[in-house]
């Protein structure tokens, strides 16, 4: 009887031991190449000359473009949009300013 018990125990132990083993890895998993580390280049200024326009507000907006020189590429959009908004506002303000007075029709007639 001890033989039958020992055979049953050994069969059960082998079955349990078989389940305890980790599943075999597929060839693709075990030999997958590791991805190379990607390090983007550090931001570098373009050093483009900015010619003053003579309008302080516009020149200040154009000077703001230099802020993009120190940002990663994904930060450029915010700077460009801010500069674009400012330049658009400056142009819109030109439409709201009164221009030189228009001569009256009587002035033109008196000159003739």
């Amino acid at each position: 009887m001890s033989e039958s018990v020992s055979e049953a125990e050994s069969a059960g132990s082998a079955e349990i031991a078989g389940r305890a083993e980790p599943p075999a890895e597929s060839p693709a998993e075990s030999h997958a190449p590791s991805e190379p580390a990607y390090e983007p280049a550090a931001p570098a200024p373009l050093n483009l000359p900015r010619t003053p326009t003579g309008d302080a507000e516009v020149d200040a907006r154009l000077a703001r473009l230099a802020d993009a020189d120190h940002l990663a590429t994904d930060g450029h959009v915010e700077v460009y949009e801010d500069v674009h908004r400012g330049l658009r506002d400056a142009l819109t303000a030109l439409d709201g300013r009164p221009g030189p007075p228009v001569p009256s029709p009587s002035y033109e007639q008196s000159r003739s």
Side-chain angles (χ1 to χ4, degrees), residues 26-82:
S26 68
E29 291 174 351
S30 63
H31 300 290
S34 61
E35 292 184 23
Y38 175 72
E39 292 294 325
L46 295 175
N47 295 322
L48 295 175
R50 291 179 185 86
T51 306
T53 64
D55 184 297
E57 184 179 357
V58 171
D59 290 341
R61 292 296 176 176
L62 294 176
R64 167 104 165 87
L65 289 172
D67 293 346
D69 288 346
H70 308 290
L71 298 172
T73 306
D74 59 350
H76 290 189
V77 173
E78 183 180 337
V79 173
Y80 295 155
E81 287 178 349
D82 180 49

